[in-house]
Amino acid sequence: MDIFEAIVLGVIQGLTEFLPVSSSGHLELAKAILGDTSVPEESLTFTVVLHFATALSTLVIFRKEVFEIFKGLFQFKWNDELKFSLKIILSMIPAVFVGLLFEKQLEAFFGGKILLVGAMLIVTAILLLLADKAKNTNKEVSFLNAVIIGISQAIAMLPGISRSGATISTSVLLGIDRTRAARFSFLMVVPLIFGKIGKDVLSGDLNFQSSEMMPISIGFIAAFVSGLLACQWMIALVKKSKLTYFSIYCAIVGLIAIGYSLLS
């Protein structure tokens, strides 16, 4: 992978992590277009590093909220911050369960499975369309909601299903306020990404060759910067109920991907 490809993939990750169009699906499509020949394990490793960059951009955007959460936790009381943290933990359980038990199977999906990506983008399009037609409410995330949203996040581990799209759509369909839905969606993935990075470092799965460090670093920076912009943009779009446009986009890209896969 050269520097140009790393920048392209980094920008794609940064934009699509927060926009509901599937970052992993777009990375796989971009790799196919750019002629990437990485084996599934190497392809997934680069994807994980780019996700780490967008996790950091999430912490920057929500730094005040994160600070308040930690501040509230150290009060050692049954307060809103503790409740929110427990909901985040509950939402992580389905993805952790799937990730630990089916890690090898998931890795196989990140090896240029363009037909799968196209089909899952169609699923994302349907979810976004349904969410955009849902009525606006002022509900907060309950403990049961957190588990259901967590299940949608686990399903979104498949390339082509947008994590933010699936979790925000699920939240809105459950009647949760759109702003709260976006906030919970973006924050709930951060511990998972840091956990994944930590696990891979301890297990030795992230042993990069010296020749890989430059493109990976450039991709990381590109994903971080573009992620800062996309996160703020997405919050504004969710408030204004603009998900239908992304639904149309996902449907078009999904159909193109399916056609490309069948004809190639």
Side-chain angles (χ1 to χ4, degrees):
M1 182 182 300
D2 59 30
I3 300 301
F4 173 74
E5 291 175 343
I7 293 174
V8 171
L9 294 176
V11 171
I12 289 174
Q13 164 62 26
L15 293 176
T16 58
E17 172 63 25
F18 299 103
L19 302 181
V21 294
S22 177
S23 58
S24 58
H26 276 70
L27 284 176
E28 292 304 305
L29 293 175
K31 290 172 187 175
I33 294 172
L34 293 172
D36 184 82
T37 57
S38 299
V39 297
E41 292 82 0
E42 294 171 342
S43 180
L44 184 58
T45 295
F46 187 70
T47 300
V48 169
V49 171
L50 295 187
H51 275 82
F52 180 59
T54 49
L56 287 180
S57 65
T58 303
L59 292 180
V60 171
I61 296 298
F62 291 102
R63 58 189 179 279
K64 292 182 180 179
E65 288 86 346
V66 172
F67 175 76
E68 289 299 323
I69 289 171
F70 278 105
K71 181 180 177 182
L73 288 176
F74 284 104
Q75 293 176 359
F76 302 105
K77 297 179 180 180
W78 184 249
N79 52 27
D80 291 338
E81 291 77 15
L82 177 57
K83 292 177 184 177
F84 185 83
S85 299
L86 291 176
K87 291 170 187 176
I88 290 291
I89 293 173
L90 280 176
S91 73
M92 291 167 51
I93 293 175
V96 171
F97 178 80
V98 172
L100 291 177
L101 292 186
F102 303 100
E103 182 176 11
K104 294 300 181 182
Q105 291 85 341
L106 286 172
E107 286 179 353
F109 291 130
F110 288 82
K113 302 294 190 297
I114 305 304
L115 180 60
L116 172 66
V117 171
M120 295 302 100
L121 279 170
I122 299 297
V123 173
T124 296
I126 295 172
L127 280 173
L128 293 174
L129 186 62
L130 292 173
D132 222 21
K133 294 184 179 299
K135 295 181 179 180
N136 294 330
T137 69
N138 294 316
K139 291 183 179 179
E140 297 186 3
V141 179
S142 68
F143 286 100
L144 177 59
N145 291 156
V147 174
I148 297 173
I149 298 169
I151 293 173
S152 70
Q153 177 169 252
I155 296 173
M157 294 173 77
L158 292 171
I161 295 185
S162 166
R163 193 207 64 81
S164 62
T167 53
I168 291 175
S169 294
T170 300
S171 300
V172 172
L173 291 171
L174 289 171
I176 297 168
D177 172 73
R178 291 174 182 270
T179 302
R180 293 190 180 101
R183 174 174 173 258
F184 191 79
S185 170
F186 295 152
L187 288 175
M188 68 187 286
V189 73
V190 173
L192 283 175
I193 294 176
F194 279 105
K196 172 64 176 174
I197 289 287
K199 175 180 176 296
D200 288 346
V201 169
L202 292 175
S203 64
D205 291 340
L206 289 182
N207 283 331
F208 305 119
Q209 301 295 327
S210 58
S211 60
E212 298 174 328
M213 290 305 297
M214 180 59 73
I216 286 178
S217 299
I218 294 298
F220 179 93
I221 294 172
F224 176 76
V225 174
S226 56
L228 290 174
L229 300 174
C231 184
Q232 297 178 80
W233 186 27
M234 184 58 190
I235 293 171
L237 290 172
V238 172
K239 290 180 182 178
K240 298 177 181 178
S241 301
K242 300 291 186 179
L243 298 180
T244 297
Y245 300 113
F246 293 104
S247 173
I248 295 172
Y249 172 81
C250 287
I252 292 173
V253 175
L255 290 173
I256 292 174
I258 291 172
Y260 173 85
S261 177
L262 294 176
L263 296 176
S264 61

